[in-house]
Amino acid sequence: MESIIHLGKIDYIIVGVYFLFVLGIGWALRHTMKGSGDFLTSGRSIPGWVAGLAFLSANLGAQEVIGMGASGAKYGIMTSHFYWVGAIPAMVFLAVFMMPFYYGSKARSVPEYLKLRFDEKTRGFNAFSFAVMTILSSGISMYAMAKLMGLLLGWSFGASIAVSAVIVLIYIFLGGLTSAIYNEVLQFFMIVFGFAPLAYLGLKDVGGWSGLKAKLVDVSTAQGYAPGAWGHAWSHLGAPSQNPMGVEWFGMVMGLGFVLSFGYWCTDFLVVQRALAAKTMTAARRTPLIAAIPKMLFPFLVILPGMIAIALTYQAAKGATGGFSLPPKNGSYDYDMVVPYMLVHYFPTGMLGLGMTALMASFMSGMAGNVTAFNTVWTYDIYQAYLAKDRPDSHYLMVGRAATVVGIALSVAAAYLAAAFNNIMDVLQLVFAFVNAPLFAVFLLGMFWKRATGNGAFWGLVIGTIAATIHYGLTIPIGATSLLKGGWLGTIEHVYPSEMAQNFWTAIWAWSFCFVPAIVISLASTPVKTDAQLRGLVWSLTPHVDPENSALPLWKRIAPFGALVIVLTVILNVIFW
Amino acid sequence: MHLDIRYPIGLLFVVIGGLLVAYGLTSNPEVYAAHSLGININLGWGAFQFAFGVVMIALARRARKKSGGR
């Protein structure tokens, strides 16, 4: 098959230079890995701004870059809700209210916090599901990269997998979490420098924001929506039928903005691990806030190109020449091709190499983020907890390194599994979505209600997961053809206007059916932990003094910083209302 | 003490920025008309990245001096 992108010599040199630096960072850090703490938790030594950019970057896999470009074309500026509603508030909450417990408890991982706060079985439940999920995500990331590189550059699937696996293995094996974090910071700048000119050139081409909005009117009306549907974030959220996402404001705010977003940003160890690596409590609390500033601006980098692409595509359909058109697919457009096609259209040789490097970098750091979270949870929460308790630290360093090798080998296997049976991966991802959805209810109760017990937490999680599964089984999105989309319990109780609406509401159900039973069961069971044991783990039993934070001038403290982030986000929402 | 991440970041963008500037100066201007609206994006954006790299290295050096120069 003819490849879509042809890289020149200079492009390959840029790709090569970048990966030389990636490996070099691992090499430069190889002597600093003296114990398991250095390798798995960076010895709590990372400055706040580095942890902050890594926090952002670890989540910014290439699937997100490709997916957000696609959604920008499909849904317009409403896609920014995944940032402004679905990320920023949760990041501020994590920084201001939750980080004191995570960091202050000296827990090395999120499952370990659950063990300290609740009990062994709650930790085990979280540790095992998380470990499997990280391997799966890392495998899917690898698979997606190999598939895309095959399509764009004509590289062989096996070679793409092998090269990415070996590079990630080398730099994590040598430099552990620190190496992963440093490379995530490098990747952050690659993404910004690689994509900012794309948004700039595209916007200039369509006549700026006002020109883009005018052109998007065609996109909206041609698909049967009000003229402003693609150019406004909130105006068309009154009812699911008014916008292409098929959701209404309540499902958006509660499902995405509360359950899914807080569940991910506040409890997923992959991101929380970056903050836990910070060198002081204040640095750890500042981590998500520092990440929030670029995060709120990322829609302009990753969503805008999609909006530009679809606007130009409709212009071309009207007969405009010299423009741009997305490839057709199933009576619509192949939205996943937004980013690659935009790169080819606007970037000459040279910048094209930079753009492709940014894409590859984000695939790899997505993998590396998962692998570093996996090796920590495996070593501390599974191996040390259940298999070999009291060994010298050097033993756990060795196990952490071995877990890195095994984790990457399993990811490769998962990538091949994804290539062979696409549906199996979809099913597994669905299962983990059910397991994860109720998690935030347990953390909320655990951190802010001292009466919450281990039994309440564990059974709340189990009931919430079952509720999510049942809800999914009784509902379908409109036009569903596969049982994978729901409805497999036979009777259909409700038809959602879109898959997204169904996902948001599944999350709301899971959360509620965890939260309420967890309270009831906690009240019915006797508390096992004493107040003294819960000090530092629960809001009401923890003295709220952070001498480092209080010593700072007011404008440098955590709470005003968090408030600033919220105000800026509100302003963005108002501008694009 | 770990390595100051600003060194590798700075160096990376000095190298990549430098490569793009060199390529931008020597490449055929017609490709920019075909792709980037006639703007020599390699030259302009390469120079910006080069400058960013220099600033990063300068910041790292200043920090090292402040901490007594290891």
Side-chain angles (χ1 to χ4, degrees):
Chain A
M1 203 177 74
E2 180 70 0
S3 57
I4 293 169
I5 295 180
H6 297 278
L7 293 185
K9 220 180 272 167
I10 179 81
D11 299 320
Y12 279 110
I13 293 175
I14 291 174
V15 173
V17 165
Y18 178 75
F19 286 113
L20 220 57
F21 271 80
V22 165
L23 294 173
I25 285 178
W27 182 254
L29 291 169
R30 72 196 184 284
H31 293 309
T32 58
M33 300 292 118
K34 296 200 167 65
S36 72
D38 296 321
F39 189 72
L40 299 170
T41 67
S42 288
R44 291 195 158 189
S45 64
I46 305 289
W49 72 272
V50 175
L53 295 183
F55 184 95
L56 178 65
S57 225
N59 154 265
L60 190 82
Q63 284 117 308
E64 171 156 330
V65 174
I66 303 266
M68 286 296 152
S71 299
K74 233 163 136 179
Y75 309 124
I77 192 79
M78 267 180 76
T79 308
S80 354
H81 289 320
F82 283 96
Y83 292 76
W84 300 336
V85 174
I88 307 286
M91 289 160 85
V92 173
F93 187 82
L94 173 67
V96 176
F97 297 107
M98 289 176 75
M99 198 47 75
F101 305 114
Y102 276 138
Y103 198 88
S105 70
K106 301 257 177 351
R108 296 166 299 183
S109 67
V110 167
E112 193 165 71
Y113 172 82
L114 288 174
K115 145 103 175 143
L116 295 171
R117 172 62 187 86
F118 294 116
D119 55 13
E120 195 58 66
K121 61 179 180 296
T122 312
R123 180 242 284 256
F125 187 86
N126 185 236
F128 279 102
S129 62
F130 183 79
V132 180
M133 196 171 59
T134 46
I135 293 297
L136 206 67
S137 314
S138 151
I140 290 176
S141 193
M142 224 185 246
Y143 161 73
M145 164 166 173
K147 211 175 114 184
L148 190 70
M149 292 305 142
L151 185 66
L152 299 183
L153 301 170
W155 292 0
S156 94
F157 188 83
S160 293
I161 298 255
V163 170
S164 59
V166 168
I167 291 177
V168 171
L169 176 66
I170 292 175
Y171 78 75
I172 298 181
F173 193 86
L174 290 173
L177 179 63
T178 312
S179 188
I181 286 180
Y182 280 13
N183 275 312
E184 280 153 9
V185 176
L186 222 56
Q187 178 231 338
F188 168 82
F189 288 108
M190 282 309 283
I191 289 272
V192 172
F193 287 136
F195 284 85
L198 193 62
Y200 167 75
L201 290 172
L203 205 56
K204 199 170 151 70
D205 198 19
V206 294
W209 176 246
S210 57
L212 176 62
K213 259 177 100 168
K215 291 186 173 67
L216 285 172
V217 168
D218 287 339
V219 180
S220 308
T221 49
Q223 297 185 47
Y225 295 101
W230 258 251
H232 290 274
W234 288 98
S235 304
H236 304 277
L237 267 174
S241 58
Q242 291 173 0
N243 61 71
M245 274 189 188
V247 293
E248 82 302 328
W249 67 271
F250 185 81
M252 172 71 78
V253 172
M254 285 305 289
L256 174 66
F258 181 61
V259 181
L260 289 175
S261 154
F262 281 69
Y264 176 75
W265 291 100
C266 301
T267 74
D268 194 296
F269 182 52
L270 170 61
V271 286
V272 174
Q273 185 179 29
R274 272 71 200 152
L276 290 183
K279 58 182 174 185
T280 62
M281 168 75 92
T282 304
R285 296 180 73 191
R286 215 176 263 159
T287 295
L289 298 176
I290 290 169
I293 302 281
K295 184 83 183 168
M296 71 174 78
L297 300 174
F298 260 58
F300 304 112
L301 221 54
V302 294
I303 297 173
L304 202 57
M307 296 167 63
I308 293 164
I310 197 71
L312 290 176
T313 299
Y314 273 76
Q315 291 296 308
K318 272 170 59 179
T321 51
F324 171 89
S325 202
L326 284 171
K329 188 184 177 183
N330 304 335
S332 176
Y333 295 102
D334 188 353
Y335 293 109
D336 284 341
M337 285 296 112
V338 162
V339 170
Y341 269 61
M342 288 285 281
L343 287 175
V344 180
H345 184 69
Y346 286 113
F347 281 179
T349 304
M351 272 309 293
L352 192 57
L354 187 70
M356 286 305 291
T357 309
L359 217 50
M360 290 181 215
S362 55
F363 270 118
M364 281 194 208
S365 79
M367 270 169 63
N370 279 298
V371 171
T372 47
F374 168 81
N375 63 16
T376 306
V377 166
W378 168 263
T379 306
Y380 288 147
D381 293 298
I382 297 175
Y383 185 80
Q384 192 177 31
Y386 301 108
L387 299 173
K389 268 192 175 53
D390 300 303
R391 299 290 178 86
D393 186 64
S394 59
H395 179 74
Y396 297 116
L397 173 61
M398 190 269 289
V399 170
R401 286 211 152 112
T404 306
V405 178
V406 173
I408 289 176
L410 289 173
S411 307
V412 171
Y416 275 96
L417 194 69
F421 311 100
N422 229 323
N423 282 343
I424 290 190
M425 294 314 251
D426 290 342
V427 172
L428 286 174
Q429 274 196 312
L430 204 57
V431 170
F432 287 114
F434 297 159
V435 174
N436 262 355
L439 204 55
F440 182 63
V442 160
F443 276 88
L444 206 55
L445 289 171
M447 286 182 172
F448 300 99
W449 188 44
K450 71 171 186 171
R451 187 63 181 76
T453 66
N455 282 335
F458 180 78
W459 292 109
L461 285 178
V462 172
I463 295 169
T465 303
I466 295 172
T469 316
I470 293 178
H471 176 263
Y472 207 76
L474 290 176
T475 60
I476 52 166
I478 207 160
T481 48
S482 143
L483 285 182
L484 210 58
K485 308 286 181 201
W488 32 261
L489 283 178
T491 42
I492 307 293
E493 295 293 329
H494 187 76
V495 178
Y496 283 104
S498 68
E499 264 180 62
M500 210 179 279
Q502 185 193 26
N503 285 339
F504 291 174
W505 281 97
T506 301
I508 295 174
W509 276 71
W511 190 87
S512 314
F513 274 89
C514 174
F515 192 70
V516 176
I519 293 175
V520 174
I521 296 167
S522 289
L523 288 173
S525 55
T526 14
V528 181
K529 303 244 173 184
T530 62
D531 280 7
Q533 284 174 313
L534 293 179
R535 191 174 300 273
L537 301 169
V538 182
W539 183 263
S540 61
L541 297 173
T542 306
H544 300 285
V545 282
D546 177 354
E548 191 196 354
N549 186 39
S550 323
L552 292 170
L554 189 67
W555 60 274
K556 276 188 169 174
R557 287 186 208 166
I558 300 298
F561 191 177
L564 173 75
V565 168
I566 293 289
V567 169
L568 292 176
T569 309
V570 170
I571 291 174
L572 279 174
N573 277 289
V574 172
I575 292 175
F576 293 95
W577 191 271
Chain B
M1 226 340 248
H2 291 314
L3 137 109
D4 188 334
I5 179 67
R6 284 171 294 195
Y7 278 117
I9 293 175
L11 209 58
L12 174 68
F13 287 104
V14 163
V15 173
I16 289 184
L19 281 169
L20 286 176
V21 167
Y23 188 75
L25 286 172
T26 52
S27 53
N28 184 346
E30 277 170 24
V31 298
Y32 302 107
H35 285 281
S36 42
L37 318 174
I39 301 167
N40 188 337
I41 194 85
N42 285 335
L43 180 62
W45 197 242
F48 179 81
Q49 289 177 68
F50 186 88
F52 171 83
V54 170
V55 170
M56 275 289 175
I57 293 174
L59 285 174
R61 288 180 71 109
R62 204 184 61 170
R64 192 162 69 170
K65 261 190 204 144
K66 257 191 190 165
S67 68
R70 277 183 313 118

PDB file of all heavy atoms in Angstrom, chain A residues 31-46:
ATOM      1  N   HIS A  31      23.195   5.905  37.266  1.00  0.00           N
ATOM      2  CA  HIS A  31      23.875   5.718  38.551  1.00  0.00           C
ATOM      3  C   HIS A  31      23.079   6.235  39.739  1.00  0.00           C
ATOM      4  O   HIS A  31      23.482   6.074  40.884  1.00  0.00           O
ATOM      5  CB  HIS A  31      25.242   6.401  38.527  1.00  0.00           C
ATOM      6  CG  HIS A  31      26.191   5.737  37.576  1.00  0.00           C
ATOM      7  ND1 HIS A  31      26.426   4.378  37.601  1.00  0.00           N
ATOM      8  CD2 HIS A  31      26.934   6.229  36.554  1.00  0.00           C
ATOM      9  CE1 HIS A  31      27.285   4.072  36.638  1.00  0.00           C
ATOM     10  NE2 HIS A  31      27.599   5.170  35.989  1.00  0.00           N
ATOM     11  N   THR A  32      21.952   6.927  39.461  1.00  0.00           N
ATOM     12  CA  THR A  32      21.196   7.491  40.587  1.00  0.00           C
ATOM     13  C   THR A  32      20.168   6.501  41.136  1.00  0.00           C
ATOM     14  O   THR A  32      19.517   6.778  42.121  1.00  0.00           O
ATOM     15  CB  THR A  32      20.470   8.786  40.172  1.00  0.00           C
ATOM     16  OG1 THR A  32      19.596   8.473  39.077  1.00  0.00           O
ATOM     17  CG2 THR A  32      21.439   9.862  39.717  1.00  0.00           C
ATOM     18  N   MET A  33      20.027   5.338  40.486  1.00  0.00           N
ATOM     19  CA  MET A  33      19.036   4.358  40.925  1.00  0.00           C
ATOM     20  C   MET A  33      19.644   3.426  41.974  1.00  0.00           C
ATOM     21  O   MET A  33      20.104   2.340  41.666  1.00  0.00           O
ATOM     22  CB  MET A  33      18.540   3.526  39.714  1.00  0.00           C
ATOM     23  CG  MET A  33      17.893   4.340  38.627  1.00  0.00           C
ATOM     24  SD  MET A  33      16.322   5.061  39.151  1.00  0.00           S
ATOM     25  CE  MET A  33      16.697   6.810  38.996  1.00  0.00           C
ATOM     26  N   LYS A  34      19.646   3.898  43.241  1.00  0.00           N
ATOM     27  CA  LYS A  34      20.341   3.117  44.273  1.00  0.00           C
ATOM     28  C   LYS A  34      19.427   2.177  45.035  1.00  0.00           C
ATOM     29  O   LYS A  34      19.854   1.165  45.561  1.00  0.00           O
ATOM     30  CB  LYS A  34      21.050   4.061  45.236  1.00  0.00           C
ATOM     31  CG  LYS A  34      22.140   4.850  44.517  1.00  0.00           C
ATOM     32  CD  LYS A  34      23.171   5.424  45.466  1.00  0.00           C
ATOM     33  CE  LYS A  34      24.388   5.919  44.706  1.00  0.00           C
ATOM     34  NZ  LYS A  34      24.110   7.052  43.799  1.00  0.00           N
ATOM     35  N   GLY A  35      18.150   2.530  45.143  1.00  0.00           N
ATOM     36  CA  GLY A  35      17.222   1.654  45.859  1.00  0.00           C
ATOM     37  C   GLY A  35      15.897   1.592  45.133  1.00  0.00           C
ATOM     38  O   GLY A  35      15.721   2.270  44.115  1.00  0.00           O
ATOM     39  N   SER A  36      14.962   0.797  45.666  1.00  0.00           N
ATOM     40  CA  SER A  36      13.676   0.655  44.992  1.00  0.00           C
ATOM     41  C   SER A  36      12.937   1.989  44.976  1.00  0.00           C
ATOM     42  O   SER A  36      12.209   2.299  44.042  1.00  0.00           O
ATOM     43  CB  SER A  36      12.841  -0.426  45.676  1.00  0.00           C
ATOM     44  OG  SER A  36      12.386   0.026  46.931  1.00  0.00           O
ATOM     45  N   GLY A  37      13.145   2.814  46.015  1.00  0.00           N
ATOM     46  CA  GLY A  37      12.495   4.120  46.072  1.00  0.00           C
ATOM     47  C   GLY A  37      12.946   5.034  44.947  1.00  0.00           C
ATOM     48  O   GLY A  37      12.150   5.754  44.354  1.00  0.00           O
ATOM     49  N   ASP A  38      14.247   5.008  44.618  1.00  0.00           N
ATOM     50  CA  ASP A  38      14.752   5.822  43.510  1.00  0.00           C
ATOM     51  C   ASP A  38      14.123   5.376  42.196  1.00  0.00           C
ATOM     52  O   ASP A  38      13.753   6.178  41.353  1.00  0.00           O
ATOM     53  CB  ASP A  38      16.282   5.670  43.372  1.00  0.00           C
ATOM     54  CG  ASP A  38      17.009   6.197  44.589  1.00  0.00           C
ATOM     55  OD1 ASP A  38      16.576   7.239  45.110  1.00  0.00           O
ATOM     56  OD2 ASP A  38      17.986   5.558  45.016  1.00  0.00           O
ATOM     57  N   PHE A  39      14.028   4.071  42.054  1.00  0.00           N
ATOM     58  CA  PHE A  39      13.578   3.509  40.788  1.00  0.00           C
ATOM     59  C   PHE A  39      12.069   3.660  40.594  1.00  0.00           C
ATOM     60  O   PHE A  39      11.601   3.991  39.514  1.00  0.00           O
ATOM     61  CB  PHE A  39      13.965   2.019  40.733  1.00  0.00           C
ATOM     62  CG  PHE A  39      13.753   1.385  39.390  1.00  0.00           C
ATOM     63  CD1 PHE A  39      14.589   1.682  38.325  1.00  0.00           C
ATOM     64  CD2 PHE A  39      12.715   0.484  39.188  1.00  0.00           C
ATOM     65  CE1 PHE A  39      14.397   1.101  37.079  1.00  0.00           C
ATOM     66  CE2 PHE A  39      12.516  -0.104  37.953  1.00  0.00           C
ATOM     67  CZ  PHE A  39      13.359   0.207  36.898  1.00  0.00           C
ATOM     68  N   LEU A  40      11.299   3.449  41.677  1.00  0.00           N
ATOM     69  CA  LEU A  40       9.840   3.381  41.535  1.00  0.00           C
ATOM     70  C   LEU A  40       9.120   4.660  41.940  1.00  0.00           C
ATOM     71  O   LEU A  40       7.998   4.902  41.515  1.00  0.00           O
ATOM     72  CB  LEU A  40       9.289   2.198  42.351  1.00  0.00           C
ATOM     73  CG  LEU A  40       9.811   0.815  41.931  1.00  0.00           C
ATOM     74  CD1 LEU A  40       9.398  -0.237  42.949  1.00  0.00           C
ATOM     75  CD2 LEU A  40       9.295   0.436  40.556  1.00  0.00           C
ATOM     76  N   THR A  41       9.742   5.485  42.792  1.00  0.00           N
ATOM     77  CA  THR A  41       9.054   6.703  43.234  1.00  0.00           C
ATOM     78  C   THR A  41       9.922   7.942  43.042  1.00  0.00           C
ATOM     79  O   THR A  41       9.610   9.004  43.563  1.00  0.00           O
ATOM     80  CB  THR A  41       8.647   6.618  44.720  1.00  0.00           C
ATOM     81  OG1 THR A  41       9.847   6.605  45.508  1.00  0.00           O
ATOM     82  CG2 THR A  41       7.844   5.375  45.034  1.00  0.00           C
ATOM     83  N   SER A  42      11.005   7.818  42.295  1.00  0.00           N
ATOM     84  CA  SER A  42      11.960   8.918  42.074  1.00  0.00           C
ATOM     85  C   SER A  42      12.527   9.453  43.379  1.00  0.00           C
ATOM     86  O   SER A  42      13.012  10.578  43.430  1.00  0.00           O
ATOM     87  CB  SER A  42      11.308  10.080  41.318  1.00  0.00           C
ATOM     88  OG  SER A  42      11.095   9.724  39.994  1.00  0.00           O
ATOM     89  N   GLY A  43      12.440   8.666  44.452  1.00  0.00           N
ATOM     90  CA  GLY A  43      12.967   9.110  45.741  1.00  0.00           C
ATOM     91  C   GLY A  43      12.361  10.434  46.191  1.00  0.00           C
ATOM     92  O   GLY A  43      12.968  11.167  46.960  1.00  0.00           O
ATOM     93  N   ARG A  44      11.160  10.726  45.733  1.00  0.00           N
ATOM     94  CA  ARG A  44      10.490  11.991  46.063  1.00  0.00           C
ATOM     95  C   ARG A  44      11.447  13.175  45.923  1.00  0.00           C
ATOM     96  O   ARG A  44      11.742  13.874  46.894  1.00  0.00           O
ATOM     97  CB  ARG A  44       9.927  11.938  47.480  1.00  0.00           C
ATOM     98  CG  ARG A  44       8.757  10.990  47.615  1.00  0.00           C
ATOM     99  CD  ARG A  44       8.011  11.228  48.895  1.00  0.00           C
ATOM    100  NE  ARG A  44       6.643  10.716  48.799  1.00  0.00           N
ATOM    101  CZ  ARG A  44       5.721  10.930  49.700  1.00  0.00           C
ATOM    102  NH1 ARG A  44       5.985  11.642  50.762  1.00  0.00           N
ATOM    103  NH2 ARG A  44       4.503  10.460  49.556  1.00  0.00           N
ATOM    104  N   SER A  45      11.929  13.402  44.711  1.00  0.00           N
ATOM    105  CA  SER A  45      12.964  14.415  44.536  1.00  0.00           C
ATOM    106  C   SER A  45      12.692  15.373  43.378  1.00  0.00           C
ATOM    107  O   SER A  45      13.513  16.204  43.047  1.00  0.00           O
ATOM    108  CB  SER A  45      14.291  13.704  44.258  1.00  0.00           C
ATOM    109  OG  SER A  45      14.169  13.010  43.026  1.00  0.00           O
ATOM    110  N   ILE A  46      11.530  15.265  42.744  1.00  0.00           N
ATOM    111  CA  ILE A  46      11.293  15.996  41.497  1.00  0.00           C
ATOM    112  C   ILE A  46      10.738  17.399  41.789  1.00  0.00           C
ATOM    113  O   ILE A  46       9.818  17.538  42.582  1.00  0.00           O
ATOM    114  CB  ILE A  46      10.290  15.205  40.627  1.00  0.00           C
ATOM    115  CG1 ILE A  46      10.783  13.774  40.393  1.00  0.00           C
ATOM    116  CG2 ILE A  46      10.007  15.911  39.316  1.00  0.00           C
ATOM    117  CD1 ILE A  46      11.959  13.646  39.480  1.00  0.00           C
TER     118      ILE A  46
END
